[in-house]
Amino acid sequence: MTSSFTEIEQEKWNNIKVLIVDDQLSCAQLVKSVLEKTAIKSIDIATCYQQAIQLCQNHRYDIVLFDFHLNQNINGGELLTLLRKKNIITSNCGVIFFSGDRSPEVISTTMGIDPDCFLTKPINVGTLKQRIRNVYHVCLQRKPIYDALDQNNTEQAIQLCRQLLREQGHNLHIEILLLELLMEKKQWQQAEQLLTLFKQRSQHHKLALIEAQLAAKQGGIKEAVRQLQLLIKQVPLCVNAYDELARLYQQNKQFESALSIAQQGLMLTPTIPHRALLVAQLAADMNEIEIFLQAGKTLSTHLPIIDNLWLVHFAEYTAIFEQIYTNQLSTQHSYRLQNEIKQIHQFATQRLQETQRYLLDAFANVVMARINYTDQQITKAKRRLFQGLKPFFGVMHQAPSIVMIDALPILISFGETRLIGEIYQVLMTRSELDGHSQYRLSQLKEKQLIIENIRLLVSHLETAKINLSDDPKRAGALYKTILHDYPQCSEAILGYCDSLINQQDYQNPELLEYTKQLTTLPLPSPLSPWKKEIIEKQASTQPMVINQLATNIQKAERETR
């Protein structure tokens, strides 16, 4: 690629903005000094991912240079993925990676990210100058194409690709982009004709990958598999080929082969969550428990911790875990799986930052509640569930969608109308939900009868509450009826206890039993003050209750550790 600029391009070059992301300030300053000698005037440095995100939000950069290893838990690929996903950098922004690590993991991960350039440390000054000019030249050429794509005008983007190739000749990046756009529009014949032409100029592995994808799209599964197997043999670090081959094996119900090739892809790039999840799902489908658990450990020890997307990945793995757990016939196996998921949670906790750990703790409690519920340990499930939601009582809008969505089915079965209503309102106001949350929510929306029953429950609770002061006996009967259908409904339990106290039925065994349950249960407002009032009334009439309640609290705390 030539780096000679026209006068207009040179004028633009003098005004470009560049960002260098490197946790070692001395290295970043060295790169900056080199770039300054190429007449670039606007160069910023970020030494952490938070600073990089802030700078990209405030400035429009033409080129960003990433060090691959930003610190022990974060790499430049993860940061780039987030910046692209959130549209914090333009689609046309030039991307250059550099690293002194030449391991297969770095190379294969970088190949999957597809930057415009990769440089190895120590960086040669002359090479850096040449490469950054080349990248900017490419950015200028492709800008109209990406502008069209940003406006969802694929046809115009295709025409601009064709025009550029006619004017400039061979350009691998544009050729690949054109082929991908034609495949997106299902214009198989045109894509095949152009691919034949492009392969005469280059034998690049990306073209080989597209050739296999084209064959698969047109029904040639066996030929696609053969081409992918050959590509992996020739370019063993082309990890996207492993993804494609695993998908085809899975589609063909060759699950053993799919799992094997997916494991190879994961070994090459353990920091890429979707590969750990693919291995986990395939292993679960084949009941390969050990492989499934190992995939979970890989996921948890390599979680991408920027943003809260890590929690979505973790929730997706946990959903597969529940699939395996419900199929266990042995109590011994179930107990072992519980310990394994706790250990996986612990691995993730060690990786997360301090400000993120409370989210995992909340989610872990919800997960254990779902497991306890599956095992018919209802009281324990309820305690776990409320413990998980407790940090968000009164501020539910701060809760991750994952935590709320996974809690909803049990809340509905318990008849916890106040939390259900609060969570539903928050979810309806969220502009965007992750795929896992959307799927879970769609499952709930299909159960119209359950939703109608909850609406009816709200009405019955209101009626009972109205009668509580003037006619506690009638209120008690109404609450008792509700508890027949929803024996774990906290509001009904509170109301029934209050009705017994108002009737001075202090020796009622149900009153003591329910009071013991309430003491170990964190509740949202306005149920929490109501609970305190009931316990104080009960303790004032029966002093021995206090000791019993204290013992009960200690026992519950031991059970939920």
Side-chain angles (χ1 to χ4, degrees), residues 27-310:
C27 293
Q29 289 174 332
L30 178 62
V31 173
K32 181 177 180 179
S33 67
V34 173
L35 297 181
E36 287 174 336
K37 294 175 183 177
T38 64
I40 299 177
K41 299 173 184 176
S42 180
I43 305 171
D44 292 329
I45 291 176
T47 55
C48 64
Y49 80 87
Q50 296 98 329
Q51 190 178 7
I53 292 171
Q54 188 64 49
L55 285 168
C56 287
Q57 286 174 331
N58 295 336
H59 303 282
R60 182 188 177 281
Y61 290 103
D62 300 284
I63 298 177
V64 182
L65 296 91
F66 297 88
D67 182 24
F68 187 85
H69 293 294
L70 295 179
N71 64 33
Q72 61 178 359
N73 285 342
I74 298 170
N75 64 56
E78 180 186 347
L79 175 57
L80 174 60
T81 300
L82 175 69
L83 295 175
R84 284 175 168 170
K85 179 178 179 291
K86 300 288 189 180
N87 294 318
I88 298 174
I89 59 174
T90 65
S91 55
N92 187 52
C93 180
V95 174
I96 298 176
F97 269 86
F98 53 90
S99 177
D101 185 349
R102 296 176 176 82
S103 66
E105 178 184 339
V106 171
I107 295 171
S108 55
T109 301
T110 307
M111 287 173 67
I113 294 168
D114 196 24
D116 294 296
C117 176
F118 183 86
L119 298 172
T120 56
K121 290 182 177 180
I123 299 174
N124 179 277
V125 173
T127 301
L128 177 58
K129 289 180 179 179
Q130 183 66 33
R131 292 293 177 82
I132 197 163
R133 290 175 68 87
N134 287 350
V135 167
Y136 186 61
H137 189 75
V138 167
C139 290
L140 289 176
Q141 286 185 322
R142 71 189 184 199
K143 185 178 185 305
I145 300 169
Y146 280 91
D147 286 346
L149 290 174
D150 288 341
Q151 297 170 13
N152 296 316
N153 194 337
T154 306
E155 287 295 343
Q156 184 184 4
I158 289 173
Q159 295 306 316
L160 289 169
C161 284
R162 291 179 181 276
Q163 179 182 334
L164 181 59
L165 291 173
R166 283 195 299 268
E167 294 173 354
Q168 303 290 337
H170 173 57
N171 183 320
L172 181 63
H173 181 92
I174 300 301
E175 289 169 354
I176 291 170
L177 177 58
L178 175 56
L179 291 171
E180 290 174 344
L181 292 175
L182 289 172
M183 289 173 64
E184 182 183 320
K185 300 291 287 185
K186 299 183 180 181
Q187 297 178 11
W188 315 124
Q189 188 174 0
Q190 290 186 47
E192 202 163 17
Q193 291 171 351
L194 286 173
L195 178 62
T196 302
L197 175 63
F198 297 156
K199 285 187 67 178
Q200 294 173 2
R201 304 169 181 171
S202 171
Q203 293 300 310
H204 198 277
H205 69 271
K206 290 182 181 178
L207 293 176
L209 179 60
I210 287 177
E211 184 176 23
Q213 291 171 334
L214 257 177
K217 293 288 187 184
Q218 298 179 89
I221 304 297
K222 288 184 179 180
E223 176 60 19
V225 168
R226 185 192 69 79
Q227 291 173 354
L228 289 167
Q229 289 172 335
L230 179 62
L231 176 57
I232 288 172
K233 186 176 181 181
Q234 294 174 340
V235 189
L237 296 183
C238 179
V239 73
N240 288 339
Y242 293 81
D243 291 343
E244 193 70 23
L245 185 55
R247 186 185 65 80
L248 291 180
Y249 279 142
Q250 186 180 24
Q251 183 179 324
N252 257 14
K253 303 189 184 306
Q254 297 172 266
F255 299 116
E256 189 172 338
S257 297
L259 179 57
S260 175
I261 204 73
Q263 284 181 278
Q264 293 177 50
L266 178 58
M267 286 178 62
L268 285 171
T269 56
T271 60
I272 307 299
H274 77 79
R275 296 195 173 104
L277 291 169
L278 175 60
V279 170
Q281 185 63 70
L282 288 167
D285 292 341
M286 297 176 66
N287 204 33
E288 293 284 355
I289 305 297
E290 300 307 320
I291 297 175
F292 168 79
L293 293 172
Q294 187 55 51
K297 290 168 185 175
T298 300
L299 175 69
S300 61
T301 53
H302 294 82
L303 277 175
I305 62 175
I306 301 179
D307 202 22
N308 283 337
L309 193 57
W310 61 269

